[in-house]
Amino acid sequence: MPRLRARRQWRIRFVLALLALWMLAAGSAAQAAASAQLQRQREQFAQAYALAQQGDPAWRRDAEALQDYPLYPYLEAAYLLHDLGSAHAARVRDYLARHGALIPGRELRRAWLDRLARKQDWQQYLAFYAPGLGATYDCRELQAQAMQGGTLTFDGAFAALWDAPRLPDACAALLQLANTQGLLTPERLWDRIQRAVRARAAGTLTQTLAWLPVAQQPGAQRLALALSDPAGALAQAGSWPDTGLAREAMTLALTRRARDDDDAARAAWQALRGRFELDAAQVDRIEAALALYQAVSLEPGSLRALAALPATAQTPLTREWRARVALAQGDWPAVLAAIRAMPAAQREEKEWRYFEARALAATGATTQADARWRALARDPTYYGFLAADRVQRPYALCPRDPPAQTTATAAVEADPGMQRAFEWYALNRLAHARREWDAALPGLDHAQRYAAVVLAHRRGWVDRAIFLLNHGAYLRDYSLRFPLAERTRVVRDAHRAGIDPAWAFAIIRTESAWISNARSGADARGLMQLLPGTAAQLARRNGLPWEGAASLDDPSVNIALGTHYLQHLADRFGAQWLASAAYNAGPAALQRWLDKRATLPPDVFVATIPYPETRGYVESTLAFSVIYDWRLHQDPVRLSARMQPFGSAYAVPDAQAPRAAVVCSVEDLAAQGDAPPPAAASTQPAPSASVHAAAAGATP
């Protein structure tokens, strides 16, 4: 009997195992079928979308099979947009009723409203208008109401538009109408002019002053000239009357001129200061600007000028540059004095904590310096890594692994906006994908946003995490925030070019945040943000493939050319950090700085780079090189080993390069013999948030 029972139980287990295998196979088959169906839909959509964009009605051929495909609403919108001039209002209205809230619906509505505005069909404009399309359409809506007999009043929507520092050209007709109806009183006009001055919106100022009473226009014209042409304003200022507006215009012109030519601004100030009865605040603004831009140029006497500024003239920038000039001069007591003159919040920034320790060590207070460096070494940042190197401490990198699934994953996968974003990404239409992502994201809660980032990363869309996971505990998501995308290609091309792969990864992360079709205002393109002219030269010089500017969106082209450009700069300037500075600011700018202070220690040289963007860029790429080296090899080369002095020959770090151990937590660091961070004492000032406050990503 026991043997029979055991045989029966064995049969049951066998049947259950077979059933489980069958269900697994059935599930895999169903999943494969669904995947194949989705791939067919993607191919059908790509064909239909191309036809619809060409205005070919054949796009409807595959429409039936695509009605449950997330991007289906784009097809009809593309067809209607192709020949909007012959589209019937009823068809447009019908589409907007179904899909007006979606991106293609909003595009179609804008295009249709543009057409109606050109025809001045204001009745239909009001019928098709919807809020939230932008200032152009809001201005025209108010204009349409007025043209249809409505009353234009200075409240609500008009007041909100009026408060904007800049408005599109399409709003000019509305503003002119408001002026004609007496709504733009001198008080309101002057309020807008002052806001335009603060926003440096010269176009807004010029437009607005034309509506002032004729007698009031000269004062506003002087402000406009000071804003757009400071040198020209100063040339005329000697003939200006000593009025409040003239004083403000001269102050504005001097502070703006100092930025471009502090010597010329100083000469103008000496010539004009007795001509106007400036108030104390205006004098402070002028003196601060003159001292600041003298310091940025590291001119003789700039340290004395900054230290002599009265407290009322001091700004965060003047305080930080007092410290930077002292650093450039190697005057460590003056560095300490400058840092200790900063307010507590500025003084506690990592940069000034690090340099205060440098100054303490240089003036013999090594015990205090070491304590500060140990405390700072617990930060996984540029200055944290430098501090760790000073006292030979481990690097504090404490990663957490993102979950493959979260409780919010299913909600994200079911979200229509995210479905559209992921489909556009799968079709390699990255601009469309980002627009859908940006539209869908505000509708997700925090958990869902994190799940969306994880999903995107798993699908190869690695740049999404970089923009979202930039605070709190998310900073520990190193695998998401510092992806090893294109790993084989980056490592291979870096080795071929003779540079460190970790550096190449860091440049990509800093330049484009892994957006493969990124485009800058200067037309730099792709992952490593190369200018087409530079890329063409690199391709010719190195025998690399080149098919024109558009090919820079291809990672295989961009990375090969970008790594060779890094190698070219490294050969010229000798060190990774200097080549990074040249990559951002240009070789000519770097050479100017080297001509003045090539002998400075590398950390001091970086701190005295005049361009805030370049200063932050160098800090970022160095810190990111450490992170990527750790991700690639676990024991990163110490940051200080990447900062050889000018005149060194560049070499890829080898097995003999000094490397840092990596520890995870404050507790781990404490176990290594570190005490808790010391409390700030009256002798330990706090550091400065400089103009580049964000040191653009210098904090990993």
Side-chain angles (χ1 to χ4, degrees), residues 253-268:
L254 279 168
T255 55
R256 290 180 66 78
R257 183 63 172 148
R259 180 185 58 184
D260 302 321
D261 188 337
D262 60 283
D263 287 335
R266 189 171 295 103

Side-chain angles (χ1 to χ4, degrees), residues 149-206:
T151 302
L152 186 61
T153 59
F154 195 93
D155 58 11
F158 184 89
L161 289 165
W162 183 253
D163 285 345
R166 295 173 180 85
L167 287 173
D169 292 342
C171 293
L174 173 68
L175 296 178
Q176 184 59 55
L177 181 62
N179 184 59
T180 301
Q181 295 186 7
L183 297 180
L184 305 186
T185 63
E187 293 77 16
R188 288 168 177 165
L189 291 168
W190 278 112
D191 177 66
R192 191 166 195 248
I193 286 169
Q194 293 296 343
R195 284 188 282 107
V197 170
R198 290 193 293 273
R200 303 296 187 256
T204 299
L205 199 163
T206 301

Side-chain angles (χ1 to χ4, degrees), residues 466-478:
I466 294 169
F467 295 98
L468 239 63
L469 307 184
N470 53 14
H471 62 282
Y474 296 137
L475 295 177
R476 294 172 49 209
D477 289 329
Y478 291 105

Side-chain angles (χ1 to χ4, degrees), residues 383-399:
Y383 285 107
F385 295 146
L386 282 180
D389 290 354
R390 288 279 170 180
V391 286
Q392 290 299 295
R393 306 310 300 158
Y395 286 172
L397 290 163
C398 191

